[in-house]
Amino acid sequence: MVRAGLRVGESILIHGGAGGVGHVAIQVAKAIGAKVFTTVREDNFEFAQSLGADVTIDYTKEDYVDAILRETDGNGVDVIFDTIGGNTLAKSADALAQLGRVVSIVDIAQPQNLIEAWGKNASYHFVFTRQNRGKLDELSTLIERGQLRPHVGAVYSLADIPLAHARLENPDNGVRGKIAIKVAP
């Protein structure tokens, strides 16, 4: 959320709120004091709400842009956090407020048409993570305060890493939260 510059009282749309990164992003955004919107399937509404999501949108049944514009009286959200990729990056500009910020952690496989973002004077940030002791310490503090509860949705043995990887590659993998690898003692 550092790159997004998310502040108390702002609003954020987190794509993929039940996923490994999305479910943590919801909790961090709530700890900052933002109003949190997220896209998840209906069967994940309760899970996302338990993490702090204020508004859940079933992206399989409703266009998230329409939902955001309805919920924000046509203003859009201040920040969009993209964990999905595909056309989400370009389409999200339609749900963004003037001077909004978009942060994506997904590689761009093809050029994107961002003309709508240009019209809103939006800023786009692309974040490719690496280990950072300071950020891990900040997350540890949130965990200690009870403001962050990482969720493990599936556990695989070291021998089953290929199965875990194959499951992660499937966008409809049914996993909430993170996939963990159990290493025998």
Side-chain angles (χ1 to χ4, degrees), residues 81-125:
F81 184 56
D82 177 22
T83 69
I84 304 297
N87 74 342
T88 304
L89 193 60
K91 186 177 176 186
S92 287
D94 294 331
L96 196 61
Q98 287 291 324
L99 301 174
R101 288 102 57 205
V102 176
V103 175
S104 178
I105 61 169
V106 184
D107 287 338
I108 300 172
Q110 57 191 357
Q112 301 284 313
N113 181 353
L114 302 178
I115 195 72
E116 291 299 322
W118 180 77
K120 292 184 177 185
N121 202 16
S123 59
Y124 274 64
H125 305 273

Short mmCIF file of all heavy atoms in Angstrom, two decimals, residues 81-125:
data_model
loop_
_atom_site.label_atom_id
_atom_site.label_comp_id
_atom_site.label_asym_id
_atom_site.label_seq_id
_atom_site.Cartn_x
_atom_site.Cartn_y
_atom_site.Cartn_z
N PHE A 81 -6.01 -1.86 -6.63
CA PHE A 81 -4.89 -2.80 -6.48
C PHE A 81 -5.20 -4.03 -7.32
O PHE A 81 -6.15 -4.75 -7.05
CB PHE A 81 -4.71 -3.16 -5.00
CG PHE A 81 -3.53 -4.04 -4.72
CD1 PHE A 81 -2.25 -3.65 -5.10
CD2 PHE A 81 -3.68 -5.22 -4.05
CE1 PHE A 81 -1.15 -4.45 -4.84
CE2 PHE A 81 -2.59 -6.04 -3.77
CZ PHE A 81 -1.32 -5.64 -4.16
N ASP A 82 -4.40 -4.24 -8.36
CA ASP A 82 -4.64 -5.32 -9.32
C ASP A 82 -3.75 -6.52 -9.03
O ASP A 82 -2.53 -6.43 -9.14
CB ASP A 82 -4.37 -4.80 -10.74
CG ASP A 82 -4.51 -5.87 -11.81
OD1 ASP A 82 -5.20 -6.88 -11.56
OD2 ASP A 82 -3.94 -5.69 -12.90
N THR A 83 -4.38 -7.62 -8.68
CA THR A 83 -3.66 -8.89 -8.49
C THR A 83 -4.08 -9.90 -9.55
O THR A 83 -3.67 -11.05 -9.48
CB THR A 83 -3.94 -9.50 -7.10
OG1 THR A 83 -5.30 -9.94 -7.05
CG2 THR A 83 -3.68 -8.51 -5.98
N ILE A 84 -4.88 -9.47 -10.53
CA ILE A 84 -5.49 -10.37 -11.50
C ILE A 84 -4.79 -10.34 -12.86
O ILE A 84 -4.50 -11.36 -13.45
CB ILE A 84 -6.99 -10.04 -11.70
CG1 ILE A 84 -7.72 -10.09 -10.36
CG2 ILE A 84 -7.63 -10.95 -12.72
CD1 ILE A 84 -7.75 -11.44 -9.70
N GLY A 85 -4.59 -9.15 -13.40
CA GLY A 85 -3.99 -9.01 -14.73
C GLY A 85 -5.04 -9.05 -15.82
O GLY A 85 -6.21 -8.77 -15.59
N GLY A 86 -4.61 -9.41 -17.01
CA GLY A 86 -5.51 -9.42 -18.17
C GLY A 86 -6.00 -8.02 -18.48
O GLY A 86 -5.26 -7.05 -18.37
N ASN A 87 -7.28 -7.90 -18.84
CA ASN A 87 -7.82 -6.58 -19.17
C ASN A 87 -8.19 -5.76 -17.93
O ASN A 87 -8.65 -4.65 -18.04
CB ASN A 87 -9.03 -6.71 -20.10
CG ASN A 87 -10.27 -7.21 -19.38
OD1 ASN A 87 -10.20 -7.77 -18.29
ND2 ASN A 87 -11.42 -7.00 -20.01
N THR A 88 -7.97 -6.31 -16.76
CA THR A 88 -8.29 -5.62 -15.52
C THR A 88 -7.56 -4.28 -15.41
O THR A 88 -8.12 -3.29 -14.96
CB THR A 88 -7.94 -6.51 -14.30
OG1 THR A 88 -8.61 -7.74 -14.44
CG2 THR A 88 -8.34 -5.86 -13.00
N LEU A 89 -6.34 -4.25 -15.87
CA LEU A 89 -5.54 -3.03 -15.76
C LEU A 89 -6.17 -1.88 -16.53
O LEU A 89 -6.32 -0.78 -16.00
CB LEU A 89 -4.13 -3.31 -16.29
CG LEU A 89 -3.07 -2.27 -15.99
CD1 LEU A 89 -2.90 -2.07 -14.50
CD2 LEU A 89 -1.76 -2.70 -16.62
N ALA A 90 -6.56 -2.11 -17.77
CA ALA A 90 -7.17 -1.05 -18.58
C ALA A 90 -8.59 -0.74 -18.12
O ALA A 90 -8.97 0.43 -18.02
CB ALA A 90 -7.17 -1.46 -20.05
N LYS A 91 -9.37 -1.76 -17.82
CA LYS A 91 -10.77 -1.56 -17.45
C LYS A 91 -10.92 -0.85 -16.10
O LYS A 91 -11.89 -0.12 -15.88
CB LYS A 91 -11.51 -2.89 -17.44
CG LYS A 91 -12.98 -2.76 -17.20
CD LYS A 91 -13.68 -4.11 -17.29
CE LYS A 91 -15.15 -3.94 -16.95
NZ LYS A 91 -15.84 -5.20 -16.88
N SER A 92 -9.98 -1.06 -15.22
CA SER A 92 -10.06 -0.46 -13.88
C SER A 92 -10.12 1.06 -13.92
O SER A 92 -10.69 1.68 -13.02
CB SER A 92 -8.88 -0.92 -13.02
OG SER A 92 -9.04 -2.27 -12.64
N ALA A 93 -9.55 1.67 -14.93
CA ALA A 93 -9.57 3.13 -15.02
C ALA A 93 -11.00 3.66 -15.00
O ALA A 93 -11.26 4.75 -14.50
CB ALA A 93 -8.85 3.59 -16.28
N ASP A 94 -11.94 2.88 -15.51
CA ASP A 94 -13.35 3.30 -15.53
C ASP A 94 -13.94 3.39 -14.12
O ASP A 94 -14.94 4.06 -13.91
CB ASP A 94 -14.19 2.35 -16.38
CG ASP A 94 -13.81 2.39 -17.85
OD1 ASP A 94 -13.34 3.45 -18.32
OD2 ASP A 94 -13.98 1.36 -18.52
N ALA A 95 -13.33 2.70 -13.15
CA ALA A 95 -13.81 2.71 -11.76
C ALA A 95 -12.97 3.61 -10.87
O ALA A 95 -13.16 3.65 -9.66
CB ALA A 95 -13.81 1.28 -11.21
N LEU A 96 -12.06 4.35 -11.46
CA LEU A 96 -11.09 5.15 -10.72
C LEU A 96 -11.56 6.60 -10.60
O LEU A 96 -12.12 7.17 -11.54
CB LEU A 96 -9.75 5.10 -11.46
CG LEU A 96 -8.50 5.54 -10.73
CD1 LEU A 96 -8.26 4.66 -9.50
CD2 LEU A 96 -7.31 5.44 -11.67
N ALA A 97 -11.32 7.20 -9.45
CA ALA A 97 -11.63 8.62 -9.23
C ALA A 97 -10.60 9.49 -9.95
O ALA A 97 -9.50 9.01 -10.31
CB ALA A 97 -11.60 8.93 -7.73
N GLN A 98 -10.93 10.75 -10.14
CA GLN A 98 -9.96 11.70 -10.68
C GLN A 98 -8.72 11.69 -9.79
O GLN A 98 -8.81 11.64 -8.57
CB GLN A 98 -10.55 13.12 -10.70
CG GLN A 98 -11.60 13.34 -11.76
CD GLN A 98 -11.01 13.31 -13.17
OE1 GLN A 98 -9.90 13.77 -13.41
NE2 GLN A 98 -11.77 12.76 -14.10
N LEU A 99 -7.56 11.73 -10.41
CA LEU A 99 -6.26 11.70 -9.73
C LEU A 99 -6.03 10.40 -8.95
O LEU A 99 -5.22 10.36 -8.02
CB LEU A 99 -6.08 12.91 -8.80
CG LEU A 99 -6.17 14.28 -9.47
CD1 LEU A 99 -6.14 15.39 -8.42
CD2 LEU A 99 -5.06 14.46 -10.48
N GLY A 100 -6.75 9.35 -9.33
CA GLY A 100 -6.60 8.07 -8.65
C GLY A 100 -5.29 7.38 -8.98
O GLY A 100 -4.54 7.81 -9.86
N ARG A 101 -5.02 6.31 -8.23
CA ARG A 101 -3.79 5.55 -8.41
C ARG A 101 -4.12 4.08 -8.60
O ARG A 101 -4.98 3.54 -7.91
CB ARG A 101 -2.90 5.68 -7.17
CG ARG A 101 -2.26 7.03 -7.01
CD ARG A 101 -2.92 7.93 -6.00
NE ARG A 101 -3.04 7.40 -4.64
CZ ARG A 101 -3.99 7.82 -3.80
NH1 ARG A 101 -4.89 8.71 -4.16
NH2 ARG A 101 -4.05 7.35 -2.59
N VAL A 102 -3.41 3.46 -9.52
CA VAL A 102 -3.55 2.02 -9.77
C VAL A 102 -2.19 1.39 -9.50
O VAL A 102 -1.16 1.87 -9.98
CB VAL A 102 -3.99 1.72 -11.22
CG1 VAL A 102 -4.03 0.22 -11.47
CG2 VAL A 102 -5.33 2.37 -11.52
N VAL A 103 -2.22 0.31 -8.73
CA VAL A 103 -1.00 -0.45 -8.47
C VAL A 103 -1.25 -1.87 -8.94
O VAL A 103 -2.26 -2.49 -8.59
CB VAL A 103 -0.65 -0.45 -6.96
CG1 VAL A 103 0.56 -1.35 -6.70
CG2 VAL A 103 -0.39 0.96 -6.47
N SER A 104 -0.33 -2.38 -9.75
CA SER A 104 -0.45 -3.75 -10.26
C SER A 104 0.79 -4.55 -9.90
O SER A 104 1.91 -4.03 -9.98
CB SER A 104 -0.62 -3.74 -11.79
OG SER A 104 -0.70 -5.07 -12.26
N ILE A 105 0.55 -5.79 -9.50
CA ILE A 105 1.67 -6.68 -9.20
C ILE A 105 1.77 -7.79 -10.24
O ILE A 105 2.47 -8.76 -10.05
CB ILE A 105 1.54 -7.30 -7.78
CG1 ILE A 105 0.26 -8.13 -7.68
CG2 ILE A 105 1.60 -6.21 -6.72
CD1 ILE A 105 0.19 -8.99 -6.43
N VAL A 106 1.07 -7.59 -11.37
CA VAL A 106 0.98 -8.61 -12.40
C VAL A 106 1.79 -8.18 -13.62
O VAL A 106 1.74 -7.03 -14.03
CB VAL A 106 -0.50 -8.84 -12.81
CG1 VAL A 106 -0.62 -9.96 -13.81
CG2 VAL A 106 -1.34 -9.12 -11.57
N ASP A 107 2.53 -9.13 -14.20
CA ASP A 107 3.25 -8.84 -15.44
C ASP A 107 2.25 -8.50 -16.54
O ASP A 107 1.16 -9.06 -16.60
CB ASP A 107 4.05 -10.07 -15.89
CG ASP A 107 5.27 -10.31 -15.02
OD1 ASP A 107 5.74 -9.36 -14.37
OD2 ASP A 107 5.76 -11.45 -15.01
N ILE A 108 2.64 -7.60 -17.40
CA ILE A 108 1.79 -7.22 -18.53
C ILE A 108 2.19 -8.06 -19.73
O ILE A 108 3.31 -7.93 -20.24
CB ILE A 108 1.93 -5.72 -18.85
CG1 ILE A 108 1.53 -4.89 -17.64
CG2 ILE A 108 1.09 -5.35 -20.06
CD1 ILE A 108 1.81 -3.42 -17.81
N ALA A 109 1.29 -8.93 -20.18
CA ALA A 109 1.58 -9.83 -21.29
C ALA A 109 1.42 -9.15 -22.64
O ALA A 109 2.00 -9.58 -23.63
CB ALA A 109 0.68 -11.06 -21.21
N GLN A 110 0.59 -8.11 -22.68
CA GLN A 110 0.35 -7.41 -23.94
C GLN A 110 0.11 -5.93 -23.67
O GLN A 110 -0.23 -5.56 -22.55
CB GLN A 110 -0.85 -8.01 -24.67
CG GLN A 110 -2.13 -7.99 -23.85
CD GLN A 110 -3.23 -8.82 -24.49
OE1 GLN A 110 -3.06 -9.35 -25.57
NE2 GLN A 110 -4.35 -8.93 -23.83
N PRO A 111 0.30 -5.08 -24.68
CA PRO A 111 0.07 -3.64 -24.47
C PRO A 111 -1.35 -3.37 -24.00
O PRO A 111 -2.29 -4.07 -24.37
CB PRO A 111 0.31 -3.04 -25.86
CG PRO A 111 1.13 -4.05 -26.58
CD PRO A 111 0.73 -5.38 -26.03
N GLN A 112 -1.51 -2.34 -23.17
CA GLN A 112 -2.80 -1.97 -22.61
C GLN A 112 -3.21 -0.58 -23.11
O GLN A 112 -2.35 0.31 -23.22
CB GLN A 112 -2.73 -1.94 -21.08
CG GLN A 112 -2.33 -3.25 -20.45
CD GLN A 112 -3.46 -4.25 -20.45
OE1 GLN A 112 -4.57 -3.93 -20.08
NE2 GLN A 112 -3.16 -5.47 -20.86
N ASN A 113 -4.49 -0.38 -23.36
CA ASN A 113 -5.01 0.92 -23.74
C ASN A 113 -5.44 1.64 -22.46
O ASN A 113 -6.45 1.29 -21.86
CB ASN A 113 -6.18 0.78 -24.70
CG ASN A 113 -6.75 2.11 -25.14
OD1 ASN A 113 -6.37 3.16 -24.62
ND2 ASN A 113 -7.66 2.07 -26.08
N LEU A 114 -4.69 2.63 -22.06
CA LEU A 114 -4.95 3.33 -20.80
C LEU A 114 -5.48 4.74 -21.03
O LEU A 114 -5.29 5.63 -20.20
CB LEU A 114 -3.68 3.36 -19.95
CG LEU A 114 -3.08 2.00 -19.61
CD1 LEU A 114 -1.80 2.16 -18.82
CD2 LEU A 114 -4.08 1.13 -18.86
N ILE A 115 -6.19 4.96 -22.14
CA ILE A 115 -6.69 6.29 -22.47
C ILE A 115 -7.64 6.83 -21.40
O ILE A 115 -7.64 8.01 -21.09
CB ILE A 115 -7.32 6.33 -23.88
CG1 ILE A 115 -7.50 7.76 -24.35
CG2 ILE A 115 -8.64 5.58 -23.91
CD1 ILE A 115 -6.23 8.45 -24.70
N GLU A 116 -8.47 5.96 -20.81
CA GLU A 116 -9.39 6.40 -19.75
C GLU A 116 -8.61 6.90 -18.53
O GLU A 116 -9.00 7.86 -17.88
CB GLU A 116 -10.34 5.28 -19.35
CG GLU A 116 -11.35 4.92 -20.42
CD GLU A 116 -12.27 6.07 -20.80
OE1 GLU A 116 -12.68 6.84 -19.89
OE2 GLU A 116 -12.57 6.22 -21.99
N ALA A 117 -7.51 6.24 -18.22
CA ALA A 117 -6.68 6.67 -17.09
C ALA A 117 -6.04 8.03 -17.36
O ALA A 117 -5.94 8.87 -16.48
CB ALA A 117 -5.60 5.63 -16.81
N TRP A 118 -5.65 8.24 -18.59
CA TRP A 118 -5.06 9.52 -18.97
C TRP A 118 -6.06 10.65 -18.74
O TRP A 118 -5.71 11.70 -18.22
CB TRP A 118 -4.61 9.46 -20.44
CG TRP A 118 -4.00 10.73 -20.93
CD1 TRP A 118 -2.73 11.18 -20.67
CD2 TRP A 118 -4.62 11.70 -21.76
NE1 TRP A 118 -2.53 12.38 -21.30
CE2 TRP A 118 -3.68 12.73 -21.98
CE3 TRP A 118 -5.88 11.82 -22.34
CZ2 TRP A 118 -3.95 13.84 -22.74
CZ3 TRP A 118 -6.16 12.93 -23.11
CH2 TRP A 118 -5.20 13.93 -23.30
N GLY A 119 -7.32 10.40 -19.10
CA GLY A 119 -8.37 11.40 -18.94
C GLY A 119 -8.66 11.73 -17.49
O GLY A 119 -9.21 12.79 -17.18
N LYS A 120 -8.30 10.84 -16.57
CA LYS A 120 -8.53 11.08 -15.14
C LYS A 120 -7.26 11.54 -14.44
O LYS A 120 -7.24 11.68 -13.23
CB LYS A 120 -9.05 9.80 -14.49
CG LYS A 120 -10.44 9.45 -14.98
CD LYS A 120 -10.99 8.24 -14.27
CE LYS A 120 -12.42 8.01 -14.76
NZ LYS A 120 -13.07 6.93 -14.05
N ASN A 121 -6.20 11.73 -15.22
CA ASN A 121 -4.91 12.13 -14.66
C ASN A 121 -4.46 11.14 -13.58
O ASN A 121 -3.97 11.51 -12.52
CB ASN A 121 -4.95 13.56 -14.12
CG ASN A 121 -3.57 14.17 -14.03
OD1 ASN A 121 -2.62 13.66 -14.62
ND2 ASN A 121 -3.44 15.24 -13.29
N ALA A 122 -4.67 9.87 -13.88
CA ALA A 122 -4.34 8.80 -12.94
C ALA A 122 -2.86 8.46 -13.00
O ALA A 122 -2.18 8.74 -13.99
CB ALA A 122 -5.17 7.56 -13.27
N SER A 123 -2.38 7.86 -11.94
CA SER A 123 -1.01 7.34 -11.96
C SER A 123 -1.05 5.83 -11.83
O SER A 123 -1.88 5.28 -11.10
CB SER A 123 -0.17 7.96 -10.84
OG SER A 123 -0.73 7.69 -9.58
N TYR A 124 -0.19 5.18 -12.57
CA TYR A 124 -0.08 3.72 -12.56
C TYR A 124 1.29 3.34 -12.02
O TYR A 124 2.30 3.94 -12.38
CB TYR A 124 -0.24 3.16 -13.98
CG TYR A 124 -1.68 2.93 -14.38
CD1 TYR A 124 -2.57 3.98 -14.50
CD2 TYR A 124 -2.14 1.65 -14.61
CE1 TYR A 124 -3.89 3.77 -14.85
CE2 TYR A 124 -3.47 1.42 -14.97
CZ TYR A 124 -4.33 2.49 -15.09
OH TYR A 124 -5.64 2.27 -15.43
N HIS A 125 1.29 2.34 -11.15
CA HIS A 125 2.53 1.85 -10.56
C HIS A 125 2.58 0.34 -10.74
O HIS A 125 1.60 -0.35 -10.50
CB HIS A 125 2.59 2.19 -9.06
CG HIS A 125 2.41 3.63 -8.77
ND1 HIS A 125 3.46 4.52 -8.76
CD2 HIS A 125 1.29 4.37 -8.52
CE1 HIS A 125 3.00 5.73 -8.50
NE2 HIS A 125 1.70 5.66 -8.34
#
